[in-house]
């Protein structure tokens, strides 16, 4: 078995809003994407399914500071080009008041096919996520680590939550994005596989039956990437604050490295039924870091803050050796400062308390999101 290099690649999706009123840009200028791609060439800025969205991707990064620097440059580039057209990017899992029925999908063959196949379900996808790729060349190891790290997906989701609003209403959830995405087929927790070969047989069956073209249509919370030799984390909302995204990527990388250490010592993380992990997944989406998740080893619900301390301790050895211990420790700052979802709700409530009406308060949330997306302090 080849030793994993645990390189990083990160993808972020943003929503484009009009500066004048905070509404989504239903038809952004056609030239805008080309301008952004000219500013940072190399396929790092791309369209998304809906015209109001844009996606960025780092290259292959060997360190968290490198990934942070690339994402910072990408956010700045998108903001600069969008600003020329009276627009701004916001990094949020959902828009506070947009109507999904007013959005239009991007005119490309792949997206045309998705819109036709998924119908009304696809039109509701006014949502944005954070995807973190970690390089693991050995295919069977990739599958084994996917099986084990799935236990921690709710913990990572809770840290990332940035989608408390949907169509102008506070949903009561910290990540409403998950609820929207779950309406698609082949989403949620992945199957358990004994080997890479078993995974490939599943993909082959789906392709042979004409259900999917390839493995890119498996939209699980975590998956072996169909394009790269990586294990791709997909459950997380896009983080409004860049440093939150970097901390989550560091913790995810550390978890994979820690699970590999256990394997090398002839140990492994206990595998629990997906039905149990799904309970924590719901609690993470509903309550975020302010609630409790179930520690299935203890058989009881535990405050998220205590669970995070256990995760930090679990990855300490690997994070120190790999040079990303500060980024892992910075996950504590997310709890101290509040996730994006928590802070959006605070901004909204503060605006109401200051006498603004519901619509004006939601516009205040969009303004905060636009500013915080470019807050790199």
């Amino acid at each position: 078995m080849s030793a994993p290099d645990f390189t990083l690649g990160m993808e972020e999706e943003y929503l484009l809003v009009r500066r004048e009123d905070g509404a989504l840009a239903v038809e952004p200028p056609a030239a805008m994407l080309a301008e952004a791609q000219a500013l940072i060439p190399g396929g790092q800025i791309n369209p998304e399914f809906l015209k109001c969205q844009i996606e960025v991707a780092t290259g292959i990064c060997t360190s968290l500071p490198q990934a942070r620097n690339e994402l910072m440059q990408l956010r700045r580039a998108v903001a600069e080009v969008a600003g020329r057209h009276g627009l701004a990017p916001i990094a949020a899992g959902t828009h506070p008041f947009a109507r999904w029925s007013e959005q239009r999908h991007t005119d490309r063959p792949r997206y045309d096919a998705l819109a036709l196949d998924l119908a009304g379900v696809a039109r509701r996808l006014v949502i944005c996520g954070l995807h973190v790729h970690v390089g693991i060349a050995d295919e069977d190891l990739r599958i084994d680590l996917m099986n084990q790290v799935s236990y921690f997906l709710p913990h990572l989701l809770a840290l990332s939550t940035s989608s408390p609003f949907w169509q102008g209403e506070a949903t009561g959830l910290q990540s409403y994005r998950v609820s929207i995405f779950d309406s698609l087929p082949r989403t949620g927790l992945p199957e358990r596989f004994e080997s890479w070969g078993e995974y490939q047989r599943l993909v082959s069956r789906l392709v042979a039956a004409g259900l999917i073209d390839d493995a890119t249509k498996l939209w699980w919370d975590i998956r072996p990437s169909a394009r790269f030799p990586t294990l791709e984390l997909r459950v997380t909302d896009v983080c409004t604050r860049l440093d939150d995204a970097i901390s989550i990527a560091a913790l995810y990388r550390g978890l994979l490295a820690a699970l590999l250490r256990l394997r090398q010592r002839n140990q492994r993380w206990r595998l629990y039924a997906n039905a149990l992990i799904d309970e924590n997944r719901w609690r993470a989406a509903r309550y975020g870091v302010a609630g409790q998740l179930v520690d299935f080893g203890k058989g009881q619900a535990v405050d998220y803050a205590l669970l995070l301390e256990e995760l930090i301790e679990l990855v300490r050895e690997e994070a120190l050796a790999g040079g990303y211990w500060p980024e892992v420790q910075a996950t504590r700052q997310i709890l101290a400062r509040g996730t994006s979802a928590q802070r959006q709700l605070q901004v909204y409530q503060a605006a109401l308390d200051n006498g603004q009406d519901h619509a004006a308060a939601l516009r205040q949330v969009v303004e905060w999101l636009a500013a915080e997306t470019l807050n790199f302090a």
Side-chain angles (χ1 to χ4, degrees), residues 17-82:
V17 300
R18 301 189 309 224
R19 284 189 172 276
E20 61 191 52
D21 58 8
L24 278 183
V26 177
E27 290 281 353
M32 199 191 83
L33 178 64
E35 290 177 29
Q37 291 173 331
L39 198 59
I40 298 187
Q44 290 187 271
I45 302 178
N46 294 290
E48 249 300 333
F49 176 69
L50 295 176
K51 291 182 179 181
C52 62
Q53 296 172 300
I54 195 164
E55 181 186 59
V56 303
T58 71
I60 300 173
C61 300
T62 57
S63 70
L64 272 302
Q66 181 187 355
R68 184 186 187 278
N69 183 63
E70 288 198 25
L71 281 178
M72 181 174 64
Q73 298 305 321
L74 287 163
R75 287 192 180 204
R76 283 176 170 164
V78 171
E80 176 185 334
V81 173

Side-chain angles (χ1 to χ4, degrees), residues 140-216:
D140 283 315
L141 178 61
R142 208 179 307 157
I143 292 295
D144 182 43
L145 292 182
M146 181 176 77
N147 290 339
Q148 295 187 66
V149 82
S150 291
Y151 180 87
F152 302 102
L153 295 179
H155 305 70
L156 297 169
L157 169 62
L159 283 172
S160 75
T161 50
S162 67
S163 50
F165 294 100
W166 182 249
Q167 300 203 119
E169 299 296 333
T171 64
L173 277 69
Q174 302 293 294
S175 176
Y176 196 71
R177 165 189 158 270
V178 167
S179 298
I180 297 298
F181 201 69
D182 282 350
S183 63
L184 271 66
R186 302 178 297 279
T187 55
L189 296 171
E191 296 285 337
R192 297 271 170 72
F193 300 98
E194 292 297 324
S195 65
W196 175 259
E198 185 180 3
Y199 163 73
Q200 286 289 77
R201 285 191 290 275
L202 172 71
V203 174
S204 297
R205 276 197 168 185
L206 293 171
V207 171
L211 300 176
I212 61 174
D213 300 323
D214 53 45
T216 62

Side-chain angles (χ1 to χ4, degrees), residues 235-246:
V235 72
T236 39
D237 284 2
V238 67
C239 295
T240 306
R241 192 178 178 93
L242 174 58
D243 284 337
D244 291 357
I246 297 301

Side-chain angles (χ1 to χ4, degrees), residues 91-97 126-128 160-180 237-238 240 284-288 339-348 358 362 365 368-369:
T94 56
H95 186 278
F97 59 84
V126 193
I127 56 175
C128 292
S160 75
T161 50
S162 67
S163 50
F165 294 100
W166 182 249
Q167 300 203 119
E169 299 296 333
T171 64
L173 277 69
Q174 302 293 294
S175 176
Y176 196 71
R177 165 189 158 270
V178 167
S179 298
I180 297 298
D237 284 2
V238 67
T240 306
R286 170 65 178 88
Y287 302 106
T339 65
S340 173
Q342 291 174 310
R343 297 183 72 190
Q344 287 179 56
L345 291 166
Q346 290 167 1
V347 170
Y348 172 75
H358 173 68
L362 289 174
V365 176
W368 178 85
L369 286 168

